[in-house]
């Protein structure tokens, strides 16, 4: 028998308030996600955990924002 999706759990995790451990997504954004994207955002994808502060700082050092004088940091995009 195939595994059943935990819809109440998924809805609570995606739509639930951040203060209660949810992602705080609005319904349109939630339903636009693929199951893989939702799993990544929840930190339950195989082999990967949620992005922690240490990893974020490591990525920021490796890929620093570069801004032009008076720019918004988006490189003119």
């Amino acid at each position: 028998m195939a595994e059943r999706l935990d819809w109440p759990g998924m809805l609570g995790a995606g739509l639930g308030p951040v203060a209660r451990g949810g992602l705080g997504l609005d319904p349109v954004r939630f339903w636009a996600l693929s199951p893989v994207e939702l799993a990544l955002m929840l930190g339950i994808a195989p082999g990967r955990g949620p992005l922690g502060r240490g990893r974020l700082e490591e990525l920021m050092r490796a890929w620093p924002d570069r801004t032009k004088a008076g720019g918004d940091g988006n490189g003119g995009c």
Side-chain angles (χ1 to χ4, degrees), residues 6-48:
D6 176 12
W7 283 108
M10 290 175 61
L11 289 167
L15 301 173
V18 175
R20 293 188 186 157
L23 296 174
L25 300 171
D26 63 68
V28 172
R29 291 179 192 257
F30 174 79
W31 289 110
L33 293 172
S34 71
V36 171
E37 290 170 322
L38 180 59
L40 283 170
M41 292 175 77
L42 294 172
I44 58 175
R48 297 247 171 163

Side-chain angles (χ1 to χ4, degrees), residues 47-68:
R48 297 247 171 163
L51 180 65
R53 184 68 167 168
R55 178 67 175 138
L56 175 60
E57 289 173 352
E58 179 183 327
L59 289 170
M60 290 169 57
R61 284 191 300 274
W63 303 97
D65 289 337
R66 299 191 200 303
T67 60
K68 294 180 183 178

